[in-house]
Amino acid sequence: MEIERIAVLFGVAGICGISEVVTGHINRTYIVTAESGRYVLQSLNHSVFPRPEAVMSNIAQVAAAFADQNDVRVPHFLTCNGRNFAESDGDIWRMYAFCEDSARGGELRRTGYAYGTFIRVMSCSGAQIQQVIDGFHNYDRYYARLTAVCTDIPPELTALRERLSRSFEGVPVRVIHGDAKTDNVIVGEPCTILDLDTVMLGAAALDYGDMVRSVCTHGVDAEAVRELTEGFRAGLGVLLTDAEKASLFSGILWVTGELALRYLTDYYSEERYFVGKTREQCLKRSRELLGQLGGFLEAEQDIRRIIEK
Ligand code: GN1
Ligand code: MG
């Protein structure tokens, strides 16, 4: 079905323009401009999310938990026949009003605050979040997948597997965002947390690690890490246990190594998980991530000091 007719299913009329957004790796996303404003319209990738209704149920629960929050919010999803999604030709589509960014400095601190708030609010919400991708942040699972297609595994990813095997012992499982890169927060008044598809149960350190990984793409930026960490701490309040605080640095290594494994697996595989990436781009991405991993290991003491503060 053409994109315009899907927007109409959500009651959006007077459409004047539709453009595709190509930055995501998994879903198809469009910006729809209508007389009533701009919207984001997005399909859900079936092969990645085999139970789309569970994803949308998770999102509905997140939206309910954030209904009374003033300083951090999540998108307001439009409804179709009383549900927060529409079905068309077997695909699931979601639509929400475009969120404007109006950053005026302090972006990283506010991003950290948003993700810390996310974990705190969900932790008190009583939401029943379903695991929509089995083993989504399971390092061992990605490692096993790589070994199935490649015999020459980078030794640092093997060493990391060993190192991480006990990192999250005694750490509580919480509702986390699951894709907590800084791009997924629109810093405005208030901040909006996007991309709720991978909200699942996991260690808070994984969200922390993803934030840090996503800002340190050209080497470890201690000031950026400090701002994110301070914001995260402020958003969380007193929620984290000592074991969780001690696990935060491991979260950085974990998500960085995990993503390196995933891109490397794509490089060696016939079919690619990251839609639209060529084999060479996947190899390049995995090498960048291995470089980042090395940088984090070198800066371990500095980062730990920031965390302890
Ligand atoms: C994918 O499509 P996007 O960028 O929101 C992936 C994340 C990765 C990210 C890497 C469901 O998210 O896990 O961290 O790419 N999402 C899924 O940039 O696999
Ligand atoms: Mg995502």
Side-chain angles (χ1 to χ4, degrees):
M1 192 190 261
E2 53 189 295
I3 305 304
E4 182 165 344
R5 286 211 274 151
I6 298 166
V8 172
L9 295 177
F10 290 98
V12 173
I15 293 168
C16 6
I18 294 175
S19 59
E20 187 161 9
V21 180
V22 290
T23 46
H25 299 103
I26 307 298
N27 300 318
R28 282 163 64 202
T29 308
Y30 299 86
I31 302 291
V32 175
T33 308
E35 279 158 11
S36 50
R38 270 194 297 170
Y39 299 86
V40 176
L41 177 62
Q42 189 180 52
S43 72
L44 198 51
N45 181 320
H46 276 287
S47 48
V48 171
F49 297 102
R51 293 188 298 131
E53 301 205 5
V55 175
M56 296 316 294
S57 154
N58 284 351
I59 291 178
Q61 293 186 70
V62 174
F66 273 82
D68 300 327
Q69 289 293 315
N70 296 320
D71 53 352
V72 176
R73 56 168 211 175
V74 297
H76 176 70
F77 287 82
L78 305 186
T79 55
C80 168
N81 297 329
R83 301 188 298 189
N84 59 354
F85 60 90
E87 274 176 282
S88 167
D89 295 336
D91 285 325
I92 298 277
W93 291 84
R94 304 75 61 77
M95 193 167 191
Y96 57 86
F98 186 87
C99 309
E100 295 291 346
D101 92 21
S102 57
R104 278 175 229 106
E107 283 87 349
L108 293 180
R109 197 175 192 289
R110 296 189 63 204
T111 299
Y113 181 81
Y115 283 126
T117 302
F118 184 88
I119 294 176
R120 177 172 51 78
V121 168
M122 292 312 297
S123 181
C124 311
S125 71
Q128 297 295 313
I129 295 297
Q130 303 178 56
Q131 210 61 15
V132 291
I133 301 178
D134 285 334
F136 183 55
H137 279 299
N138 185 330
Y139 190 96
D140 280 348
R141 170 172 163 270
Y142 291 116
Y143 187 89
R145 284 196 175 171
L146 181 59
T147 43
V149 289
C150 151
T151 50
D152 186 22
I153 302 206
E156 54 269 56
L157 293 178
T158 306
L160 188 59
R161 178 172 176 242
E162 197 61 34
R163 173 173 177 163
L164 294 176
S165 61
R166 306 182 66 176
S167 304
F168 293 155
E169 271 178 12
V171 167
V173 169
R174 302 196 186 272
V175 177
I176 63 168
H177 180 276
D179 191 10
K181 51 190 171 195
T182 49
D183 283 357
N184 278 339
V185 171
I186 302 295
V187 182
E189 302 295 341
C191 288
T192 308
I193 304 178
L194 304 178
D195 195 359
L196 306 173
D197 296 342
T198 49
V199 170
M200 280 179 266
L201 299 178
L206 297 174
D207 277 357
Y208 175 75
D210 232 350
M211 290 193 307
V212 171
R213 172 196 68 76
S214 65
V215 292
C216 294
T217 48
H218 302 287
V220 176
D221 178 342
E223 180 53 23
V225 176
R226 193 178 61 74
E227 288 172 27
L228 280 174
T229 308
E230 281 177 9
F232 192 59
R233 159 74 179 74
L236 283 161
V238 294
L239 189 70
L240 294 196
T241 64
D242 287 345
E244 278 176 304
K245 290 178 201 162
S247 73
L248 291 176
F249 180 73
S250 295
I252 304 174
L253 303 181
W254 185 297
V255 292
T256 309
E258 173 195 311
L259 213 45
L261 288 169
R262 293 171 66 189
Y263 274 108
L264 207 50
T265 305
D266 260 17
Y267 169 69
Y268 285 107
S269 306
E270 286 304 315
E271 279 183 23
R272 259 161 296 291
Y273 176 92
F274 291 105
V275 179
K277 290 256 188 251
T278 63
R279 287 191 69 196
E280 285 60 39
Q281 286 170 330
C282 291
L283 181 63
K284 182 164 175 268
R285 195 73 192 92
S286 70
R287 287 188 175 148
E288 287 163 2
L289 287 154
L290 288 176
Q292 267 189 286
L293 181 62
F296 289 133
L297 287 165
E298 261 173 44
E300 174 164 3
Q301 291 318 318
D302 294 339
I303 299 174
R304 283 194 183 277
R305 261 193 296 275
I306 294 170
I307 293 172
E308 273 155 31
K309 248 190 174 174

